[in-house]
Amino acid sequence: MLDTFKYLEALGYDVTYLPVQRDGLLNIDALRHQIRKETILVSVMLANNEIGVIQPVREIAGIAHEAGAIFNDRRYTSCWEDTGRC
């Protein structure tokens, strides 16, 4: 996913990378503060195969949709890594 976002940056898109907490979960407060009316896409890795964390996708999707952004649902998340975890 990172290569895709680096490519979009090279095309002139503004990409924001958000931090995760010690437990590997997305910092939801950072998402709430960084999302803007110009935000068109919120993309997260659903499950991490290295540490086993599963992101709170319903909460993240809700925040994205409230802002008018698209949330990358399971069609675009790394389904291989979350196999057997959902």
Side-chain angles (χ1 to χ4, degrees):
M1 285 176 29
L2 291 177
D3 288 341
T4 300
F5 295 119
K6 295 293 182 188
Y7 175 72
L8 290 171
E9 284 179 304
L11 294 177
Y13 288 92
D14 184 21
V15 177
T16 303
Y17 300 91
L18 299 178
V20 294
Q21 304 169 114
R22 284 185 77 113
D23 58 5
L25 290 172
L26 174 69
N27 184 323
I28 297 295
D29 289 332
L31 174 61
R32 289 186 195 280
H33 287 98
Q34 293 292 325
I35 201 164
R36 305 182 308 262
K37 66 178 181 170
E38 299 86 13
T39 300
I40 59 172
L41 175 68
V42 174
S43 179
V44 298
M45 179 187 228
L46 174 62
N48 184 298
N49 65 326
E50 294 175 358
I51 61 174
V53 69
I54 299 174
Q55 298 295 332
V57 292
R58 286 191 178 138
E59 184 177 9
I60 296 168
I63 294 166
H65 293 154
E66 285 175 17
I70 298 168
F71 175 72
N72 68 336
D73 61 21
R74 288 194 173 136
R75 293 173 293 169
Y76 303 107
T77 53
S78 181
C79 293
W80 177 255
E81 293 181 2
D82 67 331
T83 301
R85 296 181 187 263
C86 299

